[in-house]
């Protein structure tokens, strides 16, 4: 018998071998799965958290808290009577917290109004803004008031001189008074201007907003120069204002005159969408707007009594009208598209 010992290889324990093999396979599967997820992340997997995950929620929460606080403060002041109303019915607190927030989405998002020349409106003292008028419904006046309030460095309110009809309509009349508007008459205009307010007048009146689409951006007659007389009597500058975009919101292609007489309206418009689509036809088309305030026309250099001279009034009125008309032509020449600007 040989003295050489036989070496018998050690065999792993069956249970231990199976566990080791299982761990090895599991680790390999995990590695493959992790590599696959890196290359092709599953749609159900949660995105990695970033430091900015909470910023959006915090912003929304902060905005909500501010809105609730602002609303509560508004209601407190209204209930306590802690606000002022002037002799014309203008309620600045109501206008700033109710009227302007209602109009801003239309101004900023729907019509996307561009404003230029706002520096031509003085920081203090009276001024008379004279603008073209169009659009079937006088939305242009409301947009001009937002332009002056939000874009002027002093955030001055624009006191519009409106037709009698606006104040005869239920609800609308009271709202117009609270927003700062008053009758388009010389006594009211002169009182506002003497008190250092910025007033606005649309001399075309119903002839402007009710003209057919075929005559768009062609200014109608400016009356007998009553607004020029008011400016001369008070010595305030006249600011020509040209509005592009308002003509396209309700393209007027017809007029139901019989119906307008029955309803006591200056016109009953027919547009491509109204009255065929009913209330849906009342939604204005989203044309791109541009409001430009021109160089002031001074009125305090005329001789005494000039405000009573028909020739002087006609000359200044024609000068204002021609300035607005030429500015409209210039702005239209630069515009590439009705809806894109």
């Amino acid at each position: 018998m040989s003295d050489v010992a036989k070496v018998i290889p050690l065999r792993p324990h069956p249970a231990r071998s199976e566990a080791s093999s299982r761990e090895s396979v599991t680790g390999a599967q995990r590695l493959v799965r992790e590599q696959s997820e890196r290359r092709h992340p599953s749609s159900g997997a949660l995105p990695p958290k970033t430091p900015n995950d909470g910023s959006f929620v915090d912003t929304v929460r902060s905005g909500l808290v501010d809105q609730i606080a602002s609303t509560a403060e508004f209601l407190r002041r209204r209930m306590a009577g802690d606000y002022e109303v002037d002799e014309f019915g203008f309620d600045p607190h109501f206008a700033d917290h109710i009227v302007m927030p209602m109009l801003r989405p239309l101004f900023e998002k729907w019509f996307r109004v561009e404003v230029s020349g706002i520096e031509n409106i003085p920081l203090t003292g009276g001024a008379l803004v004279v603008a073209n008028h169009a659009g079937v419904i006088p939305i242009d006046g409301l947009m001009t008031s937002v332009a002056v309030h939000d874009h002027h460095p002093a955030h001055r309110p624009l006191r519009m001189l409106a037709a009698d009809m606006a104040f005869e309509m239920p609800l609308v009349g009271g709202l117009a008074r609270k927003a700062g508007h008053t009758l388009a008459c010389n006594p009211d205009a002169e009182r506002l201007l003497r008190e250092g307010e910025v007033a606005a007048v649309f001399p075309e009146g119903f002839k402007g907003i009710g003209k057919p689409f075929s005559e768009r951006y062609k200014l109608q007659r400016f009356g007998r120069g009553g607004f020029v007389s008011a400016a001369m009597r008070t010595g305030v500058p006249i600011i020509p204002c040209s509005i592009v975009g308002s003509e396209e919101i309700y393209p007027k292609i017809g007029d139901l005159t019989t119906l307008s007489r029955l309803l006591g309206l200056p016109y009953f418009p027919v547009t491509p969408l109204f009255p065929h689509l009913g209330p849906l036809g009342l939604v204005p088309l989203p044309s791109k707007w541009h409001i430009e305030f021109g160089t002031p026309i001074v009125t305090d250099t005329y001789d005494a009594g000039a405000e009573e001279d028909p020739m002087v009034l006609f000359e200044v009125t024609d000068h204002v009208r021609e300035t607005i008309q030429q500015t409209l032509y210039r702005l239209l020449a630069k515009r590439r598209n009705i809806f894109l600007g």
Side-chain angles (χ1 to χ4, degrees), residues 102-145:
M102 288 172 57
L103 297 177
R104 281 193 188 105
L106 201 61
F107 182 93
E108 297 173 354
K109 306 298 183 183
W110 193 251
F111 297 133
R112 297 145 290 141
V113 184
E114 292 183 15
V115 180
S116 60
I118 194 69
E119 67 279 359
N120 289 318
I121 297 178
L123 290 173
T124 58
L128 182 62
V129 175
V130 181
N132 58 301
H133 214 15
V136 174
I137 297 176
I139 297 177
D140 50 3
L142 300 177
M143 296 300 101
T144 305
S145 68

Side-chain angles (χ1 to χ4, degrees), residues 7-326:
V7 179
I8 302 175
L10 295 176
R11 294 181 180 177
H13 192 278
R16 186 179 303 162
S17 176
E18 290 176 4
S20 175
S21 176
R22 193 180 305 115
E23 288 175 0
S24 175
V25 171
T26 304
Q29 290 176 341
R30 188 185 304 115
L31 180 62
V32 171
R33 185 171 62 250
E34 289 175 354
Q35 291 176 346
S36 176
E37 286 179 353
R38 289 195 199 100
R39 296 192 187 99
H40 310 287
S42 62
S43 58
L46 293 175
K49 190 171 182 179
T50 63
N52 294 328
D53 278 351
S55 62
F56 176 73
V57 176
D58 292 341
T59 302
V60 172
R61 185 184 296 115
S62 176
L64 201 57
V65 170
D66 291 344
Q67 184 62 44
I68 293 173
S70 177
T71 303
E73 175 62 16
F74 173 79
L75 293 175
R76 184 197 67 78
R77 290 187 60 180
R78 300 307 292 187
M79 293 177 68
D82 185 19
Y83 58 92
E84 296 180 356
V85 178
D86 72 5
E87 57 184 320
F88 296 96
F90 177 39
D91 185 343
H93 184 244
F94 181 86
D96 289 346
H97 291 84
I98 299 296
V99 178
M100 287 297 159
M102 288 172 57
L103 297 177
R104 281 193 188 105
L106 201 61
F107 182 93
E108 297 173 354
K109 306 298 183 183
W110 193 251
F111 297 133
R112 297 145 290 141
V113 184
E114 292 183 15
V115 180
S116 60
I118 194 69
E119 67 279 359
N120 289 318
I121 297 178
L123 290 173
T124 58
L128 182 62
V129 175
V130 181
N132 58 301
H133 214 15
V136 174
I137 297 176
I139 297 177
D140 50 3
L142 300 177
M143 296 300 101
T144 305
S145 68
V146 178
V148 175
H149 183 277
D150 287 3
H151 289 260
H152 193 272
H155 302 291
R156 305 192 66 179
L158 186 65
R159 311 294 296 272
M160 286 193 294
L161 303 170
D164 299 3
M165 182 179 294
F167 302 99
E168 295 171 356
M169 299 172 64
L171 299 178
V172 175
L175 188 62
R177 288 285 186 187
K178 286 181 176 292
H181 314 324
T182 189
L183 290 173
C185 62
N186 270 33
D188 282 6
E190 290 178 23
R191 285 165 62 196
L192 283 172
L193 296 174
R194 284 198 177 95
E195 292 174 6
E197 300 286 351
V198 180
V201 64
F202 300 84
E204 293 176 279
F206 290 120
K207 300 189 301 297
I209 58 175
K211 64 177 177 289
F213 188 65
S214 59
E215 297 180 15
R216 60 192 179 278
Y217 298 112
K218 295 178 182 178
L219 295 185
Q220 305 297 300
R221 186 171 173 269
F222 266 24
R224 301 178 181 178
F227 68 91
V228 174
S229 175
M232 284 184 170
R233 290 179 185 277
T234 54
V236 303
I238 296 174
I239 315 295
C241 177
S242 304
I243 305 171
V244 165
S246 57
E247 295 275 15
E248 290 86 12
I249 59 174
Y250 297 113
K252 183 184 172 188
I253 57 177
D255 189 357
L256 302 179
T257 54
T258 303
L259 187 56
S260 64
R261 290 196 193 97
L262 289 174
L263 297 176
L265 300 173
Y267 51 83
F268 192 92
V270 176
T271 75
L273 302 180
F274 182 82
H276 316 297
L277 299 184
L280 187 61
L282 295 175
V283 177
L285 297 178
S287 56
K288 180 74 169 63
W289 285 38
H290 190 136
I291 300 178
E292 180 171 316
F293 298 92
T295 304
I297 298 172
V298 297
T299 62
D300 57 357
T301 57
Y302 289 90
D303 296 334
E307 68 277 3
E308 303 291 346
D309 188 335
M311 292 305 296
V312 174
L313 295 180
F314 175 79
E315 180 183 353
V316 178
T317 301
D318 189 61
H319 176 47
V320 175
R321 183 181 180 279
E322 189 62 23
T323 299
I324 297 173
Q325 184 68 82
Q326 293 304 318

